[in-house]
Amino acid sequence: MAGDRDALIGMGFDAARVDWALKATGNRGLQPAMDHILEHDGQPIPEMNTVTESTSRPSNRMDVDDDDDDEDADALKALGAKAGDVEAKSIKCSECGKIFRNTALAQFHAEKSGHQSFEESTEEIKPLTEEEKKQKLAELRAKMVEKRANKAVEEAKEAKASEMIRRKAGKDMGALKDEMEKRQAIQDAEKKKREKIEDAKARAAVKAQIEADKRARAEKAAREKALRHGEAIVDSPTTNPVASTSSATVAGKDFKETRLQIRMSTGGQPYTTTLPSDAPLREVAEFLAGQILSVDVETISFAQHFPRKAFSKADFSKSLRDLGLTPSAVLIATPPGP
């Protein structure tokens, strides 16, 4: 009825739950609907067609079947004849003793508790007084407030846990990003350092090659001049022989080949050749022996004027690079005396 529905909604009950209660109790009044709401507090609201079906047809779990209606009626008649026509005013659960106003409430109790044995009872459920209604309503509201408060606490806990997880994930990602940036910065610095070293080596090598070419051209010009004038050939000193040789030696470590000018101490035409920087000094002697038949590999000796240095037989097995002759050098070859 519209009046009962408005009254229940005015008490603070949800409209959908009020509709469910009124349909489940067959619109029998305010009290049964309120009892239904209190009994089903916190339960999900079923679809209305399900409520109508369950209201009109009791569940099999209560031992009340459509097929047994006639038998139950006959039994009640027999009992009424014996007990003075006792009228059933409620339904009682035989297992727990609870009393319900109608089959809908009994059915819900059966589904919730699993109890299956019910019987009709002559015990009448008295309607609630106004004071009891207010008390039950207050209890229901307090229960709803507590439930909402508990739900809010749980939601706050879940939100806090989610926030902690999010922050931890963000912190881990930030630390990982910082570590990757740090490694990248180290790699970039190392790369720039290597490039700087390579550039310095290349510039030193080019400078050493230029100086060696200048020295070779000056020596060639001086030799040709001496030959034209019939003068003795004297090696041309460099402006700073120690520094030039030192830079040439350092830069020469990166050269794969060595250019040599070989002069005989007895005079004559100089010989030039290019050998691998890893070639031993003995190959220089073998090259010279191939040019001059009178030269013996085992007896020839070599020396440098700048810096002044004489190479022994033990140096014949050493490479041109190890002897400091790269990228270019001038050697004085001396055959054994008579």
Side-chain angles (χ1 to χ4, degrees):
M1 294 171 60
D4 294 340
R5 185 176 187 277
D6 295 338
L8 290 170
I9 293 175
M11 292 179 185
F13 296 113
D14 182 67
R17 192 168 295 277
V18 169
D19 292 338
W20 175 27
L22 290 173
K23 283 186 175 294
T25 58
N27 292 316
R28 295 178 183 175
L30 183 63
Q31 185 61 48
M34 183 179 293
D35 292 340
H36 183 276
I37 293 175
L38 295 175
E39 185 72 25
H40 294 74
D41 179 42
Q43 298 298 320
I45 301 174
E47 296 180 1
M48 288 299 102
N49 56 352
T50 306
V51 174
T52 304
E53 214 174 281
S54 62
T55 305
S56 61
R57 182 179 179 183
S59 171
N60 291 336
R61 297 170 63 181
M62 296 187 300
D63 294 338
V64 181
D65 295 325
D66 291 338
D67 296 338
D68 298 333
D69 286 345
D70 296 337
E71 296 179 3
D72 292 342
D74 295 338
L76 288 174
K77 287 179 181 179
L79 288 173
K82 294 180 180 180
D85 295 334
V86 178
E87 182 182 357
K89 297 181 179 180
S90 61
I91 299 176
K92 182 178 181 180
C93 177
S94 303
E95 298 183 30
C96 66
K98 286 188 176 182
I99 301 174
F100 306 96
R101 292 181 179 278
N102 51 55
T103 56
L105 297 176
Q107 178 184 355
F108 176 78
H109 174 74
E111 293 175 352
K112 186 176 179 181
S113 63
H115 297 169
Q116 298 181 0
S117 179
F118 292 83
E119 61 183 355
E120 290 185 338
S121 172
T122 58
E123 186 176 350
E124 183 179 1
I125 301 176
K126 297 181 180 180
L128 296 177
T129 64
E130 292 298 327
E131 188 64 26
E132 290 174 338
K133 289 180 183 179
K134 291 180 181 180
Q135 184 179 355
K136 279 198 173 185
L137 182 59
E139 292 175 356
L140 178 59
R141 286 177 176 172
K143 196 173 182 181
M144 291 175 66
V145 170
E146 182 182 359
K147 183 178 179 181
R148 288 172 182 172
N150 294 336
K151 185 177 181 182
V153 171
E154 293 298 326
E155 289 178 350
K157 289 182 180 179
E158 292 178 0
K160 185 177 180 180
S162 299
E163 181 65 16
M164 290 179 64
I165 293 172
R166 186 188 67 78
R167 289 184 179 181
K168 186 176 184 303
K171 186 176 180 181
D172 294 343
M173 289 296 293
L176 179 61
K177 185 179 179 180
D178 293 342
E179 182 66 20
M180 292 178 65
E181 290 178 352
K182 184 177 179 181
R183 290 182 182 179
Q184 186 63 39
I186 293 174
Q187 292 177 359
D188 293 342
E190 291 178 350
K191 183 179 179 182
K192 289 181 179 179
K193 185 177 180 180
R194 287 195 301 269
E195 291 175 352
K196 188 175 181 180
I197 293 173
E198 293 297 330
D199 291 342
K201 286 182 179 180
R203 286 195 297 270
V206 171
K207 185 176 179 180
Q209 185 65 43
I210 292 172
E211 293 296 328
D213 292 342
K214 285 182 180 179
R215 188 167 59 251
R217 287 195 298 270
E219 290 174 354
K220 182 179 180 181
R223 177 184 169 280
E224 290 176 351
K225 182 178 179 181
L227 289 176
R228 286 196 302 269
H229 294 82
E231 298 174 355
I233 300 175
V234 180
D235 292 329
S236 301
T238 59
T239 304
N240 190 356
V242 176
S244 284
T245 306
S246 177
S247 61
T249 301
V250 174
K253 293 180 180 180
D254 295 330
F255 284 85
K256 295 182 179 180
E257 294 183 343
T258 301
R259 230 173 50 164
L260 296 173
Q261 186 183 69
I262 307 167
R263 298 178 180 178
M264 300 298 296
S265 61
T266 56
Q269 179 182 359
Y271 299 93
T272 60
T273 184
T274 300
L275 296 173
S277 297
D278 294 327
L281 185 60
R282 184 180 182 84
E283 289 193 18
V284 180
E286 292 174 352
F287 164 76
L288 192 59
Q291 303 297 320
I292 305 174
L293 297 178
S294 60
V295 171
D296 186 358
V297 175
E298 302 300 332
T299 57
I300 194 74
S301 62
F302 297 99
Q304 259 185 320
H305 283 178
F306 300 101
R308 186 170 295 279
K309 182 179 180 181
F311 299 99
S312 63
K313 289 298 179 184
D315 295 326
F316 272 43
S317 61
K318 296 180 181 180
S319 66
L320 302 178
R321 179 182 284 105
D322 293 339
L323 295 174
L325 300 176
T326 55
S328 62
V330 177
L331 294 177
I332 307 301
T334 305

